[in-house]
Amino acid sequence: MRLKSNVLVVILLISILVVSCDSQIKERRLPIVGEVDVEYKMVNGKEVADTIYHVVPEFRYINQDSVWVDSKDLKSKIWVTDFFFTHCPTICPPMTTNMKRLNIMTDDLKDHVQFLSFSIDPYRDSPSRFREYIVEHGIKATNWQFFTGDEEATHELARDFFNGAQKDDSIPGGFGHTPYFSLVDTKGHVRGIYDGTDSDAIDSLAKDIRLLLKTEYNVVGSKN
């Protein structure tokens, strides 16, 4: 009887550990990227600390259909963003290929995810050029917008998405920029940064998109 009881105890402990590990997986949350500040305020006569997280600023751009799009109109969805230009001869082609692959991988979540590609070369990247680029790359996505607007403002905006962009005539294509894809939640918090030229990073991003939607918005796709 003692042996049988010991076996039951071991089984019970294993079961508890499994449940505990499973609950930890379910409770995992993506971090909020960026510096964190603390603001103190008085509430009912008591000083309360409020955590302030980095938020991407509002923006307004023209898309590939020559339509003005305001960031406020996109806040109901999470975003995957990058900064590129259509004449880029180096990292942009693989970035676009990987963004296309990611879009296809998350097609079952297209009602909840918006892909945004900002051009850092607005003088050459017009809406009509975007439409040519979309055809050239065989992009069929309905939830992917290409934006063109003020060059300086876009380079500034890139930094808010933890990217970098600058004009540099010594670089092939005339612009230098980082290859990162940013995952942004509906509050404008950046929740992850991924190398858009790396296939493994794209696979991780696809998983994190599903994790973010499931844990914070109760959205589960057909491929989950």
Side-chain angles (χ1 to χ4, degrees), residues 113-166:
V113 185
Q114 185 71 51
F115 290 76
L116 309 175
S117 290
F118 296 85
S119 171
I120 61 173
D121 182 14
Y123 296 102
R124 288 185 290 181
D125 285 342
S126 62
S128 61
R129 173 56 191 147
F130 283 151
R131 292 193 293 272
E132 293 174 353
Y133 189 79
I134 289 169
V135 172
E136 290 169 4
H137 288 269
I139 297 170
K140 306 295 184 182
T142 58
N143 61 328
W144 187 353
Q145 302 203 55
F146 292 80
F147 289 146
T148 187
D150 182 81
E151 181 181 318
E152 184 177 349
T154 302
H155 293 186
E156 181 86 17
L157 182 66
R159 288 191 284 273
D160 287 299
F161 284 92
F162 299 100
N163 267 268
Q166 63 181 11

